[in-house]
Amino acid sequence: MSVPTTPATPSAPEAALDFFEQAQLDGVTFPPGDLYSDEPPLETDFHLQQMLLLIKCLDWFWRDRQDFYVSGNLTIYYSPNQSKSKDFRGPDFFVVLNTEKRPRKSWVVWEEDGKYPNVIIELLSPSTASTDRGLKKQIYQDTFRTPDYFWFDPTTQEFQGFHLLDGVYQALSPNDQGHLWSQQLQLWLGVVAGQLRFLTPAGQLVPTPEESALAEQQQREAAEALLARYRDRFGELPPE
């Protein structure tokens, strides 16, 4: 399976940091950064389980890393005015790279060195689809400058992705398996058994912790069965 060689996009939008530096020089006072998330619950169990699946898989796959933050249905505060208005709510799933891995009440851009998400996934529903395809896509492109944006509908299985190129989202082309490449994560995303999953560059499914434990158990059982057949035929293994 070939991996696209998309031109690298800066991991953190440089213009965002410039904005906050200039704001400080201009004497702009930002609200306190200790802000709680203010998101409505996800609409269905399908949406909730899909979000948790994505978070769990990436957390497990990158369990030895401490340089990223992954969350979902969490408010991203990016403007001093947003804490007073509710014009925009947080993504269903997002990843920020090159940051500290620790729990947060929300993602407050001016408290995070001006960092915005590197990857965003929205889970479409009848009430949010038009916003996810329109207003949010525009915000992620023009304000967040998030390099990789995807959406997925757990009900209809609609799946599409975009990569930011020269400041404009370009639709990603699927590979032969229908998977889309995330340049930021260096992983594929694809619909597997009705759910959006991560896949390695080689096309292997990124497992959940439970799937990993089951695979290890099956390997142990297979090794034990092979050893039992050997003993039945040849006796005990010779001493080392």
Side-chain angles (χ1 to χ4, degrees):
M1 177 182 292
S2 61
V3 175
T5 55
T6 306
T9 302
S11 59
E14 296 177 0
L17 188 56
D18 293 341
F19 167 79
F20 287 103
E21 290 175 344
Q22 186 61 50
Q24 290 175 345
L25 292 174
D26 293 341
V28 174
T29 301
F30 290 95
D34 191 27
L35 300 170
Y36 281 93
S37 180
D38 186 22
E39 298 306 305
L42 293 174
E43 294 197 359
T44 70
D45 283 345
F46 297 112
H47 291 75
L48 175 61
Q49 293 303 320
Q50 176 65 81
M51 180 193 73
L52 295 175
L53 176 63
L54 291 169
I55 293 173
K56 181 164 56 173
C57 285
L58 195 63
D59 254 337
W60 177 248
F61 189 63
W62 284 354
R63 58 192 177 278
D64 296 327
R65 293 177 53 170
Q66 298 297 321
D67 62 346
F68 73 99
Y69 178 70
V70 58
S71 189
N73 200 38
L74 192 83
T75 301
I76 295 176
Y77 292 104
Y78 62 94
S79 164
N81 295 325
Q82 189 187 346
S83 64
K84 300 176 183 178
S85 68
K86 296 187 178 180
D87 295 334
F88 178 67
R89 298 186 179 275
D92 293 324
F93 173 91
F94 68 92
V95 182
V96 184
L97 302 176
N98 302 313
T99 191
E100 183 183 359
K101 185 180 180 182
R102 60 177 173 81
R104 291 168 170 84
K105 297 176 181 178
S106 62
W107 185 266
V108 183
V109 171
W110 58 88
E111 294 290 333
E112 301 285 355
D113 297 324
K115 291 182 181 294
Y116 285 87
N118 295 76
V119 179
I120 288 176
I121 301 174
E122 290 289 3
L123 304 176
L124 304 184
S125 67
S127 65
T128 67
S130 61
T131 301
D132 293 335
R133 298 190 192 104
L135 175 62
K136 284 190 175 183
K137 181 171 177 277
Q138 199 72 37
I139 291 173
Y140 298 155
Q141 172 185 279
D142 298 340
T143 303
F144 285 24
R145 299 186 184 179
T146 292
D148 291 345
Y149 175 44
F150 302 87
W151 65 57
F152 174 64
D153 189 324
T155 303
T156 67
Q157 306 285 281
E158 178 185 342
F159 176 44
Q160 193 164 354
F162 304 86
H163 180 72
L164 194 67
L165 190 61
D166 296 330
V168 179
Y169 274 140
Q170 304 295 326
L172 294 171
S173 298
N175 65 5
D176 293 341
Q177 291 74 37
H179 303 158
L180 300 178
W181 178 248
S182 170
Q183 184 268 336
Q184 294 290 297
L185 299 179
Q186 291 293 292
L187 293 171
W188 295 98
L189 286 91
V191 181
V192 179
Q195 294 180 306
L196 188 62
R197 299 292 299 264
F198 296 115
L199 300 102
T200 68
Q204 299 297 313
L205 189 69
V206 172
T208 65
E210 295 81 5
E211 289 169 342
S212 291
L214 179 59
E216 291 176 1
Q217 178 184 343
Q218 291 172 338
Q219 290 175 355
R220 287 195 301 269
E221 291 174 350
E224 290 169 358
L226 182 61
L227 179 58
R229 289 196 297 272
Y230 178 92
R231 285 170 173 163
D232 289 342
R233 186 171 181 181
F234 301 108
E236 292 295 328
L237 291 171
E240 295 182 0

PDB file of all heavy atoms in Angstrom, residues 40 81 103 106 121 158 186 205:
ATOM      1  N   PRO A  40     -22.649  20.371  24.206  1.00  0.00           N
ATOM      2  CA  PRO A  40     -23.812  19.507  24.395  1.00  0.00           C
ATOM      3  C   PRO A  40     -23.410  18.050  24.241  1.00  0.00           C
ATOM      4  O   PRO A  40     -22.384  17.749  23.616  1.00  0.00           O
ATOM      5  CB  PRO A  40     -24.759  19.940  23.267  1.00  0.00           C
ATOM      6  CG  PRO A  40     -23.837  20.417  22.198  1.00  0.00           C
ATOM      7  CD  PRO A  40     -22.677  21.064  22.908  1.00  0.00           C
ATOM      8  N   ASN A  81     -13.789  36.762  22.796  1.00  0.00           N
ATOM      9  CA  ASN A  81     -15.237  36.934  22.738  1.00  0.00           C
ATOM     10  C   ASN A  81     -15.987  35.623  22.826  1.00  0.00           C
ATOM     11  O   ASN A  81     -17.157  35.594  23.188  1.00  0.00           O
ATOM     12  CB  ASN A  81     -15.630  37.653  21.447  1.00  0.00           C
ATOM     13  CG  ASN A  81     -15.112  39.065  21.396  1.00  0.00           C
ATOM     14  OD1 ASN A  81     -15.039  39.737  22.421  1.00  0.00           O
ATOM     15  ND2 ASN A  81     -14.746  39.533  20.213  1.00  0.00           N
ATOM     16  N   PRO A 103      -4.492  15.956  31.243  1.00  0.00           N
ATOM     17  CA  PRO A 103      -5.927  16.273  31.203  1.00  0.00           C
ATOM     18  C   PRO A 103      -6.157  17.783  31.178  1.00  0.00           C
ATOM     19  O   PRO A 103      -5.381  18.560  31.729  1.00  0.00           O
ATOM     20  CB  PRO A 103      -6.465  15.650  32.493  1.00  0.00           C
ATOM     21  CG  PRO A 103      -5.436  14.661  32.918  1.00  0.00           C
ATOM     22  CD  PRO A 103      -4.120  15.215  32.453  1.00  0.00           C
ATOM     23  N   SER A 106     -10.708  22.186  29.029  1.00  0.00           N
ATOM     24  CA  SER A 106     -11.043  22.651  27.685  1.00  0.00           C
ATOM     25  C   SER A 106      -9.719  22.937  27.006  1.00  0.00           C
ATOM     26  O   SER A 106      -8.653  22.841  27.626  1.00  0.00           O
ATOM     27  CB  SER A 106     -11.919  23.914  27.726  1.00  0.00           C
ATOM     28  OG  SER A 106     -11.213  24.977  28.361  1.00  0.00           O
ATOM     29  N   ILE A 121     -11.849  15.665  13.411  1.00  0.00           N
ATOM     30  CA  ILE A 121     -12.865  14.793  12.812  1.00  0.00           C
ATOM     31  C   ILE A 121     -14.217  15.185  13.384  1.00  0.00           C
ATOM     32  O   ILE A 121     -14.389  15.237  14.610  1.00  0.00           O
ATOM     33  CB  ILE A 121     -12.598  13.303  13.104  1.00  0.00           C
ATOM     34  CG1 ILE A 121     -11.227  12.889  12.573  1.00  0.00           C
ATOM     35  CG2 ILE A 121     -13.705  12.429  12.493  1.00  0.00           C
ATOM     36  CD1 ILE A 121     -10.829  11.460  12.954  1.00  0.00           C
ATOM     37  N   GLU A 158     -21.120   8.191   5.346  1.00  0.00           N
ATOM     38  CA  GLU A 158     -20.450   9.214   4.547  1.00  0.00           C
ATOM     39  C   GLU A 158     -19.104   9.544   5.178  1.00  0.00           C
ATOM     40  O   GLU A 158     -19.018   9.825   6.381  1.00  0.00           O
ATOM     41  CB  GLU A 158     -21.316  10.471   4.469  1.00  0.00           C
ATOM     42  CG  GLU A 158     -20.647  11.607   3.696  1.00  0.00           C
ATOM     43  CD  GLU A 158     -21.457  12.887   3.733  1.00  0.00           C
ATOM     44  OE1 GLU A 158     -22.664  12.834   4.049  1.00  0.00           O
ATOM     45  OE2 GLU A 158     -20.877  13.951   3.439  1.00  0.00           O
ATOM     46  N   GLN A 186       0.255  10.552  10.154  1.00  0.00           N
ATOM     47  CA  GLN A 186       0.970   9.499   9.437  1.00  0.00           C
ATOM     48  C   GLN A 186       0.240   8.161   9.593  1.00  0.00           C
ATOM     49  O   GLN A 186       0.834   7.107   9.820  1.00  0.00           O
ATOM     50  CB  GLN A 186       2.417   9.386   9.930  1.00  0.00           C
ATOM     51  CG  GLN A 186       3.283  10.594   9.550  1.00  0.00           C
ATOM     52  CD  GLN A 186       3.519  10.694   8.039  1.00  0.00           C
ATOM     53  OE1 GLN A 186       4.206   9.842   7.467  1.00  0.00           O
ATOM     54  NE2 GLN A 186       2.964  11.726   7.413  1.00  0.00           N
ATOM     55  N   LEU A 205      -4.825  -2.583  10.930  1.00  0.00           N
ATOM     56  CA  LEU A 205      -5.756  -1.905  11.822  1.00  0.00           C
ATOM     57  C   LEU A 205      -5.050  -1.507  13.118  1.00  0.00           C
ATOM     58  O   LEU A 205      -4.351  -2.312  13.728  1.00  0.00           O
ATOM     59  CB  LEU A 205      -6.934  -2.830  12.132  1.00  0.00           C
ATOM     60  CG  LEU A 205      -8.120  -2.210  12.892  1.00  0.00           C
ATOM     61  CD1 LEU A 205      -8.860  -1.212  12.007  1.00  0.00           C
ATOM     62  CD2 LEU A 205      -9.075  -3.303  13.361  1.00  0.00           C
TER      63      LEU A 205
END
